[in-house]
Amino acid sequence: MKKAKLFLLWLAMGVLPVWAQTGASLSGVATDQTGADLADLAVTTKSVDPGATKTGADGVYKFSLLALGDYPVKFTATGLNTAAIKPGALNVTETEGLNQVQAHEPAAPASPASDTLTWHGITVYGAYDIGLGWVSHGLPENGYNYEGESLVNRNGYEHRFLVAPNNLQHTSLGIRGKEEFAPGWSVVFNASTGINPQSGLLANASKTDIINNGLPRSSYSEAIDGARAGQPFNDEYYGGISSANFGTLTFGRQRSLGTDAMLLYDPAGGGYAFSYIGYNGTMAGGGDTEDSRWDDAVKYRLTYGPAHFAAMYKFADGSGGCYSASATWTAANCTPETAHNNAYGIDLGGGYHKLSADLVYQHYNQAISVLNPLLGAQSVTQSYQSTTDSINTNPINGANLITTDDTVYGIVTDNNAIMGTAKYTGDHFKYFAGYEYIWQNNPSNPLGVGASDQGGYFMSGVEDNNLDSEKILQIWWTGVKYAYDSKTDITFAWYGQVQNDFRVPQTCSIAAGFRSSCAGTLDEGSLYTDHHFTKRFDGFAGLAYSFVTGGLGIAIPHGPGVPYLHNSNFAPTVGGRFSF
């Protein structure tokens, strides 16, 4: 009988040679350092009929009908929350006939108790991330913004020092729980929200635009777009059922499958200070930043051995508003529109030795992109933004007036996106790569003035035919993370975005001038180091540089041919993060 010890490393495999007695089975229990059982762990071994099983809720696995021999037993953590798995011992039970003999590892020194804030299966978690930075072309901050200013901004006009929020991780607070109600079956829930660490206000992208409504461009503070729009739980809020054998099914407000993949395969982990795909959200949302999280969504996940599968569906919700081509229309004579903002996605992925990969497809109807504050009354001819290529820019007059007060202006499209990602984990290096192809068209079902947007806000201006022809975005990224020692990582990443020329007629040139419908590019590179002083506290320092060209350097929707104030931005940042 041989002794065995299991060490679980993130996405790694342990190999344990175990002697199977004649005519019987091989079984065992996987535990962590505290003695807690490790459920839903993939287990494989060699035999005439190769075995594959999973650890149950009690950590037990079993192989039957094994001949006499030496069997390497492999454990795979792919698809699990590996951050919660600690190196620990495996208690092996060997069976001969019906006589069971247990072989345990020698008693190890007592390990420290877990420092997670868990009580009866309920865990409180969160982070506080703040830094100091400088930007070559930035804007004043406001209390609702949560993304900092590392990325080139269409309205950025001055170099400035600033307090930078949420650089490696969003400042947040959450609570999650898991309670077993039958063998192998548990109820689960999660509720989390993001906060601006400077002001204590909930992250609210829509409000950053609203507080700039009606102001001249030179008076703007930082304005962004995103799925976090002041909701009490602006990250996720869901509940469901989890099975050790049949996967997990949840319903509520949840991260899209693209967002899940981005956080796993982005070299910078979605950190706003150093990641374009984390900051912007176009990739994670399948074409629009607002769609990085889906309301009224059901998500299913299943892990089988080294492979995993996920599917997601969003039900249509909210108001579609109403529309009339007349410049003097009322709520009584406009045509009601219906919300058709359903969405769906699928993810296939897995791991093999040190390599992991995922393929994600997403489709979203009536996707909304809020690109800038409303110009307001200070622009007599375009009080609701540019009317070029727009059918819904007329305000409602009379009863139930929709004004620019506390409302936003949006462009509506139907989006499709397919993304491929890969990661290779070496001894000291982790290599990352990804690519996404996004195609957008004018919506099959238009939205009207008064339609619902994220966070319960409404649109006082809507563009349903913004695209002259199909718009195509291609986004790619690559990077490497180097473990200098056990506490220090150095990360380099590069991100790129290319847009096609969807203007009709195609008259884009330096001589003719560019519009937002012209072809263009966006690039961002970043380099930073992260040092963990303790398990919970780390410090970081790094820089990001980004620039735009062509149609992606036009400050839509201010009007045709209005360029970015500056087409590049340089942003060094230093700071610290405390997580619990």
Side-chain angles (χ1 to χ4, degrees):
M1 198 180 305
K2 298 184 177 180
K3 300 177 181 179
K5 181 176 290 286
L6 170 66
F7 290 94
L8 289 176
L9 299 176
W10 188 60
L11 296 178
M13 294 182 177
V15 179
L16 304 176
V18 182
W19 186 264
Q21 305 292 339
T22 304
S25 61
L26 175 66
S27 61
V29 181
T31 62
D32 64 15
Q33 284 182 320
T34 67
D37 301 321
L38 293 174
D40 202 32
L41 196 65
V43 188
T44 57
T45 188
K46 285 184 182 179
S47 67
V48 176
D49 180 16
T53 186
K54 277 187 175 182
T55 56
D58 54 2
V60 173
Y61 69 89
K62 182 176 181 179
F63 297 101
S64 301
L65 303 177
L66 297 179
L68 184 67
D70 192 33
Y71 292 89
V73 181
K74 299 182 180 179
F75 300 85
T76 306
T78 302
L80 298 179
N81 179 11
T82 55
I85 299 178
K86 309 297 181 186
L90 173 68
N91 298 324
V92 179
T93 302
E94 297 178 349
T95 307
E96 182 178 5
L98 298 178
N99 300 318
Q100 194 173 77
V101 180
Q102 292 187 343
H104 298 279
E105 286 294 320
S111 59
S114 171
D115 57 356
T116 58
L117 301 177
T118 301
W119 181 76
H120 289 267
I122 297 175
T123 300
V124 177
Y125 64 95
Y128 182 88
D129 184 316
I130 197 74
L132 295 174
W134 181 87
V135 289
S136 59
H137 304 115
L139 285 166
E141 294 281 346
N142 63 64
Y144 299 98
N145 177 51
Y146 55 89
E147 290 185 340
E149 300 190 34
S150 63
L151 188 66
V152 58
N153 185 290
R154 58 177 57 88
N155 298 312
Y157 64 93
E158 62 179 357
H159 58 270
R160 59 188 298 118
F161 289 96
L162 51 88
V163 177
N166 309 326
N167 302 280
L168 297 184
Q169 181 179 351
H170 203 303
T171 297
S172 60
L173 184 64
I175 182 172
R176 59 175 175 256
K178 183 175 183 180
E179 180 73 14
E180 188 176 58
F181 63 89
W185 291 88
S186 302
V187 292
V188 295
F189 77 90
N190 182 43
S192 59
T193 196
I195 303 164
N196 184 328
Q198 291 105 307
S199 64
L201 293 171
L202 293 174
N204 193 335
S206 297
K207 200 69 173 181
T208 66
D209 291 280
I210 289 169
I211 62 175
N212 285 295
N213 283 350
L215 296 177
R217 191 179 184 192
S218 59
S219 298
Y220 283 172
S221 59
E222 184 78 10
I224 60 174
D225 188 24
R228 299 178 187 263
Q231 303 93 332
F233 296 101
N234 54 59
D235 183 14
E236 294 189 290
Y237 189 76
Y238 64 81
I241 295 177
S242 179
S243 165
N245 297 313
F246 300 104
T248 301
L249 183 69
T250 53
F251 175 79
R253 176 176 171 83
Q254 304 185 72
R255 295 173 181 171
S256 71
L257 298 180
T259 303
D260 290 337
M262 179 270 291
L263 294 172
L264 286 173
Y265 291 96
D266 180 5
Y272 296 147
F274 308 109
S275 168
Y276 165 67
I277 61 176
Y279 183 109
N280 181 270
T282 298
M283 182 280 294
D288 286 303
T289 302
E290 289 200 12
D291 304 324
S292 59
R293 287 156 182 81
W294 296 3
D295 292 340
D296 290 294
V298 59
K299 180 189 283 188
Y300 173 70
R301 285 191 170 280
L302 175 67
T303 299
Y304 185 80
H308 58 263
F309 165 81
M312 193 170 182
Y313 182 83
K314 177 193 179 303
F315 296 92
D317 63 336
S319 168
C322 59
Y323 163 72
S324 173
S326 171
T328 57
W329 57 302
T330 70
N333 64 21
C334 67
T335 302
E337 303 292 344
T338 303
H340 293 275
N341 55 348
N342 62 312
Y344 51 87
I346 188 170
D347 174 23
L348 295 172
Y352 180 74
H353 294 294
K354 297 181 178 182
L355 179 68
S356 62
D358 275 78
L359 183 67
V360 181
Y361 170 76
Q362 297 184 108
H363 173 83
Y364 202 107
N365 294 316
Q366 294 181 332
I368 297 171
S369 178
V370 173
L371 298 177
N372 248 335
L374 295 163
L375 293 185
Q378 52 109 7
S379 175
V380 178
T381 60
Q382 296 181 9
S383 59
Y384 287 79
Q385 293 287 5
S386 170
T387 58
T388 303
D389 292 332
S390 177
I391 63 174
N392 283 336
T393 54
N394 296 312
I396 300 177
N397 297 298
N400 300 320
L401 181 69
I402 300 294
T403 73
T404 58
D405 295 335
D406 217 29
T407 60
V408 296
Y409 185 101
I411 292 174
V412 185
T413 55
D414 288 346
N415 297 349
N416 290 277
I418 186 166
M419 171 176 54
T421 60
K423 177 171 60 177
Y424 180 83
T425 303
D427 294 334
H428 294 282
F429 292 90
K430 291 182 181 178
Y431 302 93
F432 303 81
Y435 171 80
E436 184 171 36
Y437 186 89
I438 301 168
W439 61 104
Q440 300 174 314
N441 288 280
N442 291 326
S444 300
N445 299 283
L447 291 176
V449 169
S452 304
D453 192 24
Q454 284 275 1
Y457 291 103
F458 295 93
M459 294 191 291
S460 57
V462 184
E463 290 193 42
D464 289 300
N465 64 344
N466 178 265
L467 308 181
D468 296 343
S469 62
E470 186 172 69
K471 177 180 178 180
I472 297 174
L473 295 173
Q474 299 180 72
I475 300 174
W476 60 271
W477 67 96
T478 187
V480 59
K481 186 181 291 291
Y482 169 64
Y484 176 76
D485 56 31
S486 61
K487 292 188 174 183
T488 307
D489 292 328
I490 301 172
T491 302
F492 170 77
W494 193 272
Y495 310 87
Q497 176 174 320
V498 179
Q499 173 182 287
N500 72 321
D501 186 345
F502 57 93
R503 182 181 180 184
V504 177
Q506 293 183 345
T507 57
C508 299
S509 68
I510 295 176
F514 289 97
R515 293 193 180 186
S516 60
S517 52
C518 297
T521 65
L522 183 151
D523 288 271
E524 181 180 60
S526 65
L527 176 67
Y528 69 94
T529 184
D530 180 25
H531 179 76
H532 290 263
F533 295 96
T534 69
K535 180 180 179 180
R536 298 300 184 189
F537 175 68
D538 60 325
F540 53 86
L543 53 89
Y545 176 74
S546 53
F547 58 94
V548 290
T549 66
L552 284 175
I554 300 299
I556 58 174
H558 277 289
V562 178
Y564 275 37
L565 289 173
H566 295 276
N567 66 355
S568 65
N569 193 36
F570 177 70
T573 307
V574 297
R577 172 180 58 174
F578 178 81
S579 57
F580 58 92

